[in-house]
Amino acid sequence: KHRIQQYSTRFTDMELTGYPLGIVLFTEACEHLIRLLRIIRQPRGHAVLVGVQGTGRKTIAKLAGYIAGFTVYDAASKTVSGNNNHSTSEWKDDLRQVLKKAAFGKTPLVFIATVEQESQREMLEDVTHLLNYG
């Protein structure tokens, strides 16, 4: 747990939020983090994290990506083009760029997609197709 806390401190220092995040890693959060790390380090490893909003899924996923040394791409807040509000064509262009980077550049990647708005449901359909068909 001490080692995870060290990674967490370094991770929060690297975040560009302008304020300290103050992540609290209780025992269950550490267990989820370790499970997620084990999954994403597997060849073609992927996971779908489901739960109530505000429980730390996104933070744990970002922290796992940081610890594993992966590039973290958050579709909702940080995009390749730098635009937070995606149109369908922009979303598909960004997704294409990310997939090329992961496939041809052999760059390990943590891809985070959340559904919070109606317009993001199309994004979820694309992610579902990726998970189902590769």
Side-chain angles (χ1 to χ4, degrees):
K1 186 170 180 170
H2 177 68
R3 186 130 186 224
I4 291 174
Q5 193 62 45
Q6 288 176 333
Y7 277 115
S8 173
T9 302
R10 280 191 241 145
F11 170 72
T12 56
D13 291 343
M14 290 186 67
E15 281 288 308
L16 301 174
T17 57
Y19 56 89
L21 291 176
I23 298 172
V24 176
L25 290 172
F26 49 91
T27 305
E28 289 84 6
C30 291
E31 290 171 359
H32 288 303
L33 176 64
I34 291 167
R35 280 189 209 104
L36 189 55
L37 277 167
R38 187 190 58 202
I39 292 168
I40 65 174
R41 287 181 174 162
Q42 297 291 321
R44 296 179 53 114
H46 62 277
V48 176
L49 308 179
V50 179
V52 179
Q53 187 176 6
T55 56
R57 291 181 320 264
K58 190 187 260 188
T59 303
I60 290 292
K62 285 182 178 182
L63 181 57
Y66 170 74
I67 291 172
F70 290 11
T71 301
V72 176
Y73 173 77
D74 185 352
S77 64
K78 184 169 111 181
T79 66
V80 173
S81 67
N83 184 3
N84 289 355
N85 299 317
H86 276 102
S87 69
T88 303
S89 63
E90 289 172 332
W91 158 251
K92 292 197 185 276
D93 288 341
D94 282 349
L95 185 60
R96 228 177 266 119
Q97 288 178 20
V98 168
L99 292 175
K100 284 180 184 178
K101 185 177 182 180
F104 300 124
K106 304 289 185 193
T107 304
L109 179 74
V110 171
F111 182 85
I112 300 171
T114 58
V115 178
E116 296 171 350
Q117 299 172 357
E118 187 66 34
S119 64
Q120 292 179 334
R121 292 193 190 274
E122 291 178 11
M123 295 178 195
L124 182 63
E125 287 179 17
D126 291 336
V127 171
T128 302
H129 284 109
L130 281 174
L131 291 174
N132 287 329
Y133 304 113

